[in-house]
Protein backbone atom coordinates (compact mmCIF):
# COMPACT_ATOMS: atom_id res chain seq x y z
CA UNK A 1 0.00 0.00 0.00
CA UNK A 2 1.39 3.40 -1.03
CA UNK A 3 0.65 5.39 2.10
CA UNK A 4 0.63 9.08 1.24
CA UNK A 5 -0.22 8.57 -2.42
CA UNK A 6 -3.42 6.57 -2.78
CA UNK A 7 -7.14 6.68 -3.50
CA UNK A 8 -9.42 4.66 -1.27
CA UNK A 9 -13.01 3.65 -1.93
CA UNK A 10 -15.61 5.43 0.17
CA UNK A 11 -17.32 2.92 2.46
CA UNK A 12 -20.31 4.95 3.71
CA UNK A 13 -21.90 8.39 3.61
CA UNK A 14 -24.72 10.20 5.40
CA UNK A 15 -28.09 9.75 3.74
CA UNK A 16 -29.69 12.48 1.64
CA UNK A 17 -32.59 12.78 4.11
CA UNK A 18 -30.20 13.94 6.84
CA UNK A 19 -28.60 16.43 4.49
CA UNK A 20 -31.98 18.04 3.86
CA UNK A 21 -32.92 18.08 7.54
CA UNK A 22 -29.68 19.78 8.53
CA UNK A 23 -30.01 22.40 5.81
CA UNK A 24 -32.36 24.52 7.92
CA UNK A 25 -30.44 24.26 11.21
CA UNK A 26 -27.84 26.99 11.98
CA UNK A 27 -24.28 25.82 12.51
CA UNK A 28 -24.21 27.68 15.84
CA UNK A 29 -27.06 25.52 17.17
CA UNK A 30 -25.34 22.36 15.99
CA UNK A 31 -22.14 23.50 17.69
CA UNK A 32 -23.96 24.16 20.95
CA UNK A 33 -25.46 20.68 20.73
CA UNK A 34 -21.95 19.22 20.49
CA UNK A 35 -20.80 21.12 23.62
CA UNK A 36 -18.88 23.61 21.42
CA UNK A 37 -15.98 21.17 21.27
CA UNK A 38 -15.80 20.84 17.48
CA UNK A 39 -14.90 23.46 14.88
CA UNK A 40 -13.06 23.71 11.58
CA UNK A 41 -11.16 26.78 12.75
CA UNK A 42 -11.89 30.47 12.47
CA UNK A 43 -9.63 30.81 9.43
CA UNK A 44 -12.08 28.88 7.24
CA UNK A 45 -14.40 31.54 5.86
CA UNK A 46 -17.20 31.46 3.26
CA UNK A 47 -15.86 32.83 0.00
CA UNK A 48 -19.20 32.68 -1.83
CA UNK A 49 -21.98 35.26 -1.74
CA UNK A 50 -24.61 33.32 0.15
CA UNK A 51 -25.87 29.81 0.73
CA UNK A 52 -25.51 26.91 3.17
CA UNK A 53 -22.92 24.21 2.63
CA UNK A 54 -24.17 20.75 3.61
CA UNK A 55 -23.42 17.24 2.43
CA UNK A 56 -21.32 14.11 2.93
CA UNK A 57 -17.56 14.60 2.93
CA UNK A 58 -15.34 13.41 0.11
CA UNK A 59 -11.99 13.94 1.79
CA UNK A 60 -8.66 14.90 0.24
CA UNK A 61 -5.27 15.11 1.92
CA UNK A 62 -3.10 17.26 -0.32
CA UNK A 63 0.48 18.39 -0.30
CA UNK A 64 0.46 22.13 0.39
CA UNK A 65 0.26 24.03 -2.89
CA UNK A 66 -0.59 20.95 -4.98
CA UNK A 67 -4.07 20.08 -6.32
CA UNK A 68 -3.52 16.88 -8.33
CA UNK A 69 -5.54 14.76 -5.88
CA UNK A 70 -8.23 17.42 -5.69
CA UNK A 71 -8.65 17.16 -9.45
CA UNK A 72 -9.16 13.40 -9.11
CA UNK A 73 -11.64 13.93 -6.29
CA UNK A 74 -13.63 16.21 -8.57
CA UNK A 75 -13.65 13.52 -11.24
CA UNK A 76 -15.00 10.82 -8.91
CA UNK A 77 -17.34 13.04 -6.85
CA UNK A 78 -21.02 12.17 -6.85
CA UNK A 79 -23.84 14.74 -6.88
CA UNK A 80 -24.32 16.17 -3.40
CA UNK A 81 -20.78 15.46 -2.18
CA UNK A 82 -18.79 18.11 -0.34
CA UNK A 83 -15.10 17.96 -1.25
CA UNK A 84 -13.03 18.74 1.83
CA UNK A 85 -9.32 19.33 1.34
CA UNK A 86 -6.70 19.34 4.06
CA UNK A 87 -3.85 21.27 2.48
CA UNK A 88 -2.17 22.15 5.75
CA UNK A 89 -3.59 25.67 5.82
CA UNK A 90 -0.85 26.84 3.47
CA UNK A 91 -1.70 30.05 1.58
CA UNK A 92 1.24 30.17 -0.81
CA UNK A 93 -0.66 28.69 -3.76
CA UNK A 94 -4.35 28.60 -4.61
CA UNK A 95 -5.79 25.11 -5.01
CA UNK A 96 -8.99 26.07 -6.83
CA UNK A 97 -10.29 28.87 -8.97
CA UNK A 98 -13.12 29.75 -11.33
CA UNK A 99 -12.54 26.85 -13.73
CA UNK A 100 -12.62 24.11 -11.10
CA UNK A 101 -15.67 25.65 -9.43
CA UNK A 102 -17.47 25.67 -12.79
CA UNK A 103 -16.65 21.97 -13.20
CA UNK A 104 -17.84 21.19 -9.67
CA UNK A 105 -21.13 22.96 -10.32
CA UNK A 106 -21.61 21.04 -13.58
CA UNK A 107 -21.08 17.75 -11.72
CA UNK A 108 -23.58 18.63 -8.98
CA UNK A 109 -21.03 18.85 -6.17
CA UNK A 110 -22.58 20.50 -3.10
CA UNK A 111 -19.55 22.58 -2.18
CA UNK A 112 -15.81 22.70 -1.60
CA UNK A 113 -13.78 23.30 1.56
CA UNK A 114 -10.11 24.19 1.20
CA UNK A 115 -7.84 24.37 4.23
CA UNK A 116 -5.65 26.53 2.03
CA UNK A 117 -6.13 29.27 -0.54
CA UNK A 118 -8.32 29.99 -3.56
CA UNK A 119 -8.06 32.43 -6.45
CA UNK A 120 -10.56 34.08 -8.81
CA UNK A 121 -12.12 35.42 -5.63
CA UNK A 122 -14.36 37.94 -7.40
CA UNK A 123 -16.02 35.24 -9.51
CA UNK A 124 -16.44 32.84 -6.59
CA UNK A 125 -17.62 35.65 -4.33
CA UNK A 126 -20.32 36.67 -6.79
CA UNK A 127 -21.81 33.16 -6.89
CA UNK A 128 -23.88 30.97 -4.59
CA UNK A 129 -21.81 27.81 -4.93
CA UNK A 130 -20.50 27.18 -1.39
CA UNK A 131 -16.73 27.55 -1.07
CA UNK A 132 -14.94 27.79 2.27
CA UNK A 133 -11.23 28.56 2.39
CA UNK A 134 -8.52 29.99 4.60
CA UNK A 135 -7.31 32.69 2.23
CA UNK A 136 -6.76 34.08 -1.27
CA UNK A 137 -3.74 34.28 -3.53
CA UNK A 138 -3.20 34.76 -7.25
CA UNK A 139 -0.45 32.13 -7.36
CA UNK A 140 -1.67 28.92 -8.96
CA UNK A 141 -1.09 25.33 -7.81
CA UNK A 142 1.29 22.55 -8.79
CA UNK A 143 0.00 19.19 -10.03
CA UNK A 144 2.56 16.65 -8.92
CA UNK A 145 1.12 14.95 -5.84
CA UNK A 146 1.39 13.10 -3.62
CA UNK A 147 -1.86 13.04 -1.68
CA UNK A 148 -4.74 10.83 -0.59
CA UNK A 149 -8.47 10.61 -1.26
CA UNK A 150 -11.08 9.18 1.12
CA UNK A 151 -8.87 9.12 4.20
CA UNK A 152 -9.48 10.74 7.60
CA UNK A 153 -8.32 14.36 7.68
CA UNK A 154 -8.27 17.10 10.30
CA UNK A 155 -8.99 20.81 10.07
CA UNK A 156 -7.84 22.75 13.15
CA UNK A 157 -8.20 19.56 15.18
CA UNK A 158 -11.66 18.72 13.80
CA UNK A 159 -11.46 15.18 12.43
CA UNK A 160 -13.45 14.49 9.25
CA UNK A 161 -13.87 10.96 7.98
CA UNK A 162 -15.15 10.09 4.51
CA UNK A 163 -18.96 10.21 4.49
CA UNK A 164 -19.31 12.38 7.60
CA UNK A 165 -21.74 15.30 7.40
CA UNK A 166 -20.10 18.65 6.69
CA UNK A 167 -22.13 21.81 7.22
CA UNK A 168 -21.15 25.45 6.95
CA UNK A 169 -22.81 28.85 7.03
CA UNK A 170 -21.82 32.44 7.79
CA UNK A 171 -20.64 31.40 11.26
CA UNK A 172 -18.18 28.79 10.07
CA UNK A 173 -17.72 25.11 9.37
CA UNK A 174 -18.60 21.99 11.34
CA UNK A 175 -18.45 18.21 10.94
CA UNK A 176 -21.01 15.83 12.41
CA UNK A 177 -19.68 12.26 12.62
CA UNK A 178 -21.56 9.69 10.55
CA UNK A 179 -22.69 7.67 13.59
CA UNK A 180 -24.04 10.75 15.42
CA UNK A 181 -26.10 12.57 12.78
CA UNK A 182 -29.45 11.52 14.27
CA UNK A 183 -28.65 12.34 17.89
CA UNK A 184 -27.01 15.66 17.06
CA UNK A 185 -29.86 16.68 14.78
CA UNK A 186 -32.47 16.08 17.49
CA UNK A 187 -30.53 18.22 19.95
CA UNK A 188 -29.75 20.96 17.43
CA UNK A 189 -33.33 21.16 16.18
CA UNK A 190 -34.63 21.45 19.76
CA UNK A 191 -32.05 24.17 20.47
CA UNK A 192 -33.06 26.08 17.34
CA UNK A 193 -36.76 25.84 18.22
CA UNK A 194 -36.08 27.08 21.76
CA UNK A 195 -34.14 30.07 20.45
CA UNK A 196 -36.92 30.97 18.03
CA UNK A 197 -39.36 30.93 20.96
CA UNK A 198 -36.97 33.12 22.95
CA UNK A 199 -36.78 35.64 20.10
CA UNK A 200 -40.57 35.84 20.10
CA UNK A 201 -40.54 36.53 23.84
CA UNK A 202 -37.90 39.25 23.40
CA UNK A 203 -40.05 40.92 20.75
CA UNK A 204 -42.99 40.89 23.16
CA UNK A 205 -40.89 42.08 26.11
CA UNK A 206 -41.63 38.85 27.98
CA UNK A 207 -38.22 37.21 28.16
CA UNK A 208 -37.13 36.08 31.62
CA UNK A 209 -33.71 37.51 32.61
CA UNK A 210 -33.76 36.41 36.24
CA UNK A 211 -31.15 33.74 35.52
CA UNK A 212 -28.40 36.40 35.24
CA UNK A 213 -28.71 37.60 38.83
CA UNK A 214 -29.18 34.05 40.11
CA UNK A 215 -25.99 32.98 38.37
CA UNK A 216 -24.01 35.89 39.80
CA UNK A 217 -25.20 35.10 43.32
CA UNK A 218 -24.45 31.40 42.96
CA UNK A 219 -20.94 32.17 41.75
CA UNK A 220 -20.23 34.42 44.73
CA UNK A 221 -20.34 37.82 43.05
CA UNK A 222 -20.14 40.66 45.60
CA UNK A 223 -22.52 43.58 45.17
CA UNK A 224 -21.19 46.79 46.75
Amino acid sequence: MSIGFRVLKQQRKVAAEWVERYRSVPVANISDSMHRMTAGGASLQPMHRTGVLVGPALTVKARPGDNLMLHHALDIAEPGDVIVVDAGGDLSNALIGEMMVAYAIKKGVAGIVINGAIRDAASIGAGDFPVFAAGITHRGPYKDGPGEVNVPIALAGMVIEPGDLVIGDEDGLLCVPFEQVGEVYDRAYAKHAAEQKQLEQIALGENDRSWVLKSLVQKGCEFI
Side-chain angles (χ1 to χ4, degrees):
M1 182 179 292
S2 182
I3 295 175
F5 204 3
R6 56 182 178 165
V7 177
L8 280 67
K9 185 176 181 180
Q10 193 173 59
Q11 299 298 320
R12 83 293 196 261
K13 66 168 66 177
V14 294
E17 63 180 274
W18 287 118
V19 173
E20 291 308 311
R21 289 187 185 185
Y22 271 91
R23 194 177 299 279
S24 60
V25 182
V27 168
N29 293 146
I30 301 170
S31 177
D32 288 346
S33 301
M34 298 173 72
H35 293 285
R36 309 177 184 95
M37 292 294 293
T38 301
S43 65
L44 289 174
Q45 297 288 319
M47 299 291 172
H48 54 293
R49 179 177 58 185
T50 185
V52 175
L53 169 76
V54 58
L58 172 55
T59 61
V60 180
K61 190 172 183 64
R63 181 170 68 89
D66 192 289
N67 74 353
L68 178 61
M69 301 309 283
L70 172 53
H71 272 283
H72 183 67
L74 272 172
D75 285 340
I76 66 174
E78 297 179 348
D81 283 348
V82 174
I83 299 177
V84 187
V85 184
D86 175 14
D90 181 77
L91 304 180
S92 301
N93 300 81
L95 297 193
I96 65 165
E98 181 179 13
M99 302 287 286
M100 293 179 74
V101 166
Y103 181 49
I105 293 171
K106 182 66 175 178
K107 289 210 65 178
V109 171
I112 300 176
V113 178
I114 305 287
N115 188 19
I118 68 163
R119 66 179 181 179
D120 301 325
S123 172
I124 293 173
D128 296 333
F129 178 77
V131 175
F132 282 73
I136 301 168
T137 180
H138 56 80
R139 296 175 61 183
Y142 300 99
K143 295 175 173 60
D144 301 312
E148 297 179 301
V149 176
N150 280 325
V151 296
I153 61 174
L155 309 181
M158 180 178 74
V159 176
I160 304 176
E161 296 197 37
D164 285 351
L165 182 77
V166 177
I167 182 166
D169 61 17
E170 294 83 357
D171 287 334
L173 191 80
L174 191 60
C175 171
V176 181
F178 177 86
E179 297 85 359
Q180 299 171 10
V181 289
E183 178 185 357
V184 172
Y185 174 80
D186 288 343
R187 293 181 179 181
Y189 182 83
K191 174 73 173 175
H192 182 51
E195 287 192 357
Q196 294 302 115
K197 179 64 175 179
Q198 196 172 355
L199 285 170
E200 293 175 5
Q201 292 173 335
I202 291 173
L204 295 171
E206 298 175 353
N207 58 310
D208 182 7
R209 301 286 299 170
S210 61
W211 67 270
V212 178
L213 182 58
K214 290 179 181 178
S215 181
L216 290 171
V217 172
Q218 290 173 356
K219 294 177 184 298
C221 177
E222 183 179 1
F223 295 89
I224 301 172

